Amino acid sequence: MIELTNVHKSFGSNEVLKGITASVEKSEVVCIIGPSGSGKSTILRCINGLESYDSGDILVEGAKVDNKAPSIVAIRTQVSMVFQRFNLFPHRTALENVVEGPIYVKKEPSAEALERGRALLAQVGLAEKADAYPGQLSGGQQQRVAIARALAMQPKAILFDEPTSALDPELVGEVLGVMRKLADDGMTMVVVTHEMGFARDVADRVLFIDGGVIVEQGAAKSVLNAPQHARTQDFLHRVLHPL
Amino acid sequence: MQNFLRDAVEFLPILLQGVWLTVVVTIGSLLLSTVLGLLWALMRVSGIRVLTGLSAGLINVIRGIPIIVLLFYLYFVMPDFGVALTALQASILGLGIAYSAYQAENFRAGIEAIDKGQIEAAQTIGMGWWLTMRRVVLPQAIKIVLPPYGNVMIMMLKDSSQASTITVAELALQGKLIASSTFKNTSVFTMVALMYLTMSIPLILLVRHFENKANRK
């Protein structure tokens, strides 16, 4: 349902994506791993039009992603995004954050949206925090609200941009747990992550990206357990054995 | 002191008429400058080059012209072009336009202080530019903008006295008229000063309230 064909992208003279070709099938969980600055996040940001790309094609359900075209709104409501730093709206409660899109973008009746919003908060284990403001929640709770906010748009896919990188270590598990449940329920997910355990256990496929190109890709277990490429081996060794 | 009190009782009713006009000019130009300032600020951050340039140019032109000249222009020059404004209309329009430049810069600073991640989050749930502004950016920017906005209110209250230069009989002009006909300069201008101060105090307290609120965040 998401297809990238030979996507190139430069920031000034710095080419961060050097011809990315990849696809994500429905209900598939794809993890993107790689060193920082390799272009992982840029791929996600191009897929839902937060960044434009210079050449190549990105299709979501057959529709070309072009962040200058009005069609981008429809694509964004189908492909939600969860950010590293949560980006919840601090002046709105958890529930208000969740229903903001359904009510103001999708024009759903507010009673209906609120009811569904509460159900989504319950789904991420935060039923009792509906009226709390983001500032009153821990990082893990905020990220779970952010996931509920993404789900509220009833997206066909969710993009996760290092969803646990800004969390204290003891809070990582609660967010990964929610993501694993989503994966089990058949949500299409593209996850940029440094959590190799999550990638191994939950992902169907893993893409290893370095220097703006896909160095290696394949079934999660084979890439992570038996990497073929020297750069992948080196990266995994450094991530798994930092000392 | 006794003389002052006697003068005060005598002149107060006339001066209060001036206070009324001062209040009308201040509130009118405050509202106008807020609306125009918001418009310039939104044009400035719109990302559309024509609007950005237009706004930046307008702000610089407005900032570069003294308020008094702007008032003269509106009141004495516009009739030559077939636009005859009353003195009150011209003063509200002139002060409103003059201050819209400062309001715009204040609003822009508030808008640009909002974390870019907020705008991206709004975009990823399908919000367009205006909805993002209305639901996400402006409600957060207000908290940043309020303390300087309060200061602008105080400055506008005092600068409303410039309307006297185009014959609006507000507090300063009423005082001057009484003083020049009675020669009781000390009593009259002391009263005028005290009355401006009295009107400023609630605004000063309001600014302090805003600042405390902003600091507590």
Side-chain angles (χ1 to χ4, degrees):
Chain A
M1 66 166 293
I2 301 171
E3 272 177 82
L4 296 88
T5 314
N6 199 22
V7 174
H8 286 259
K9 162 82 183 167
S10 300
F11 290 109
S13 61
N14 179 24
E15 191 174 26
V16 286
L17 300 182
K18 300 174 183 165
I20 298 287
T21 299
S23 65
V24 180
E25 303 302 320
K26 193 170 177 301
S27 292
E28 200 177 21
V29 178
V30 174
C31 279
I32 303 178
I33 62 171
S36 59
S38 57
K40 309 183 297 285
S41 295
T42 308
I43 294 177
L44 291 194
R45 295 168 61 82
C46 285
I47 292 174
N48 80 345
L50 285 179
E51 303 280 359
S52 58
Y53 48 100
D54 303 331
S55 64
D57 260 325
I58 300 179
L59 301 179
V60 171
E61 296 262 72
K64 186 174 162 71
V65 177
D66 174 1
N67 72 353
K68 302 278 187 297
S71 60
I72 192 66
V73 172
I75 289 171
R76 281 173 176 155
T77 57
Q78 292 174 37
V79 182
S80 290
M81 182 130 170
V82 173
F83 298 88
Q84 181 177 357
R85 302 217 48 92
F86 333 131
N87 295 353
L88 291 179
F89 305 132
H91 55 304
R92 306 205 186 281
T93 65
L95 183 60
E96 286 168 348
N97 265 278
V98 173
V99 299
E100 184 73 19
I103 291 178
Y104 289 93
V105 177
K106 290 188 144 183
K107 314 278 185 204
E108 286 177 25
S110 54
E112 225 170 83
L114 285 167
E115 192 184 329
R116 213 159 49 77
R118 285 184 197 283
L120 285 169
L121 284 175
Q123 187 184 332
V124 298
L126 291 172
E128 76 287 2
K129 296 289 186 186
D131 298 321
Y133 284 88
Q136 300 166 316
L137 300 174
S138 73
Q141 290 170 332
Q142 288 189 55
Q143 193 61 298
R144 285 186 281 154
V145 173
I147 293 172
R149 177 172 69 177
L151 287 170
M153 299 305 288
Q154 297 176 309
K156 293 179 177 150
I158 302 184
L159 313 174
F160 293 84
D161 188 5
E162 302 200 28
T164 58
S165 295
L167 296 178
D168 290 336
E170 79 271 22
L171 302 176
V172 168
E174 62 190 62
V175 171
L176 293 182
V178 167
M179 289 167 63
R180 171 188 283 257
K181 256 198 321 195
L182 284 181
D184 292 344
D185 293 346
M187 176 58 75
T188 310
M189 295 161 61
V190 183
V191 186
V192 170
T193 187
H194 293 293
E195 296 293 334
M196 295 306 149
F198 177 83
R200 183 181 301 124
D201 296 347
V202 180
D204 299 302
R205 270 192 307 131
V206 166
L207 309 183
F208 173 70
I209 294 191
D210 192 10
V213 294
I214 298 177
V215 175
E216 184 166 354
Q217 61 175 312
K221 288 196 174 59
S222 65
V223 173
L224 295 171
N225 292 339
Q228 299 299 308
H229 202 285
R231 275 197 281 175
T232 321
Q233 291 166 358
D234 181 49
F235 172 76
L236 286 172
H237 182 77
R238 276 185 287 127
V239 169
L240 297 173
H241 307 285
L243 293 177
Chain B
M1 189 65 196
Q2 250 184 346
N3 285 342
F4 176 75
L5 289 176
R6 205 179 53 235
D7 292 343
V9 172
E10 188 185 342
F11 300 144
L12 194 62
I14 310 175
L15 289 177
L16 280 176
Q17 289 172 13
V19 167
W20 167 243
L21 274 174
T22 291
V23 169
V24 169
V25 170
T26 304
I27 292 178
S29 53
L30 182 68
L31 291 177
L32 183 63
S33 69
T34 304
V35 172
L36 289 179
L38 196 58
L39 183 66
W40 308 151
L42 288 175
M43 282 165 64
R44 191 71 188 267
V45 300
S46 65
I48 300 168
R49 195 171 300 169
V50 180
L51 294 182
T52 307
L54 190 64
S55 163
L58 263 170
I59 289 171
N60 282 328
V61 168
I62 294 169
R63 269 200 299 212
I65 300 175
I67 294 176
I68 199 169
V69 176
L70 201 56
L71 291 176
F72 287 166
Y73 217 88
L74 286 170
Y75 190 57
F76 298 120
V77 179
M78 291 311 276
D80 291 350
F81 298 98
V83 183
L85 298 169
T86 67
L88 185 62
Q89 288 167 344
S91 61
I92 290 175
L93 195 60
L95 283 161
I97 291 172
Y99 269 91
S100 72
Y102 303 102
Q103 300 274 36
E105 291 296 270
N106 178 24
F107 294 155
R108 180 169 72 99
I111 290 169
E112 288 179 347
I114 303 304
D115 180 19
K116 258 200 106 214
Q118 291 289 309
I119 295 162
E120 292 186 346
Q123 286 177 345
T124 55
I125 56 172
M127 285 188 171
W129 184 85
W130 173 238
L131 200 54
T132 303
M133 276 293 153
R134 187 165 67 84
R135 296 289 306 170
V136 177
V137 176
L138 293 180
Q140 296 184 64
I142 278 180
K143 285 184 193 127
I144 301 167
V145 162
L146 270 181
Y149 187 82
N151 281 321
V152 168
M153 285 165 70
I154 296 170
M155 283 160 61
M156 292 189 79
L157 170 68
K158 294 185 294 178
D159 271 344
S160 68
S161 59
Q162 301 212 39
S164 64
T165 58
I166 54 168
T167 76
V168 177
E170 44 66 69
L171 182 53
L173 183 56
Q174 289 288 37
K176 192 172 152 228
L177 293 175
I178 300 171
S180 57
S181 61
T182 63
F183 301 108
K184 290 182 173 167
N185 288 312
T186 312
S187 301
V188 173
F189 288 121
T190 304
M191 284 184 74
V192 168
L194 287 174
M195 289 168 93
Y196 273 113
L197 197 56
T198 310
M199 287 189 281
S200 299
I201 286 170
L203 297 179
I204 291 168
L205 293 176
L206 195 65
V207 171
R208 189 187 297 168
H209 173 71
F210 290 153
E211 281 169 352
N212 286 342
K213 235 175 133 182
N215 287 341
R216 241 181 293 133
K217 267 294 279 185

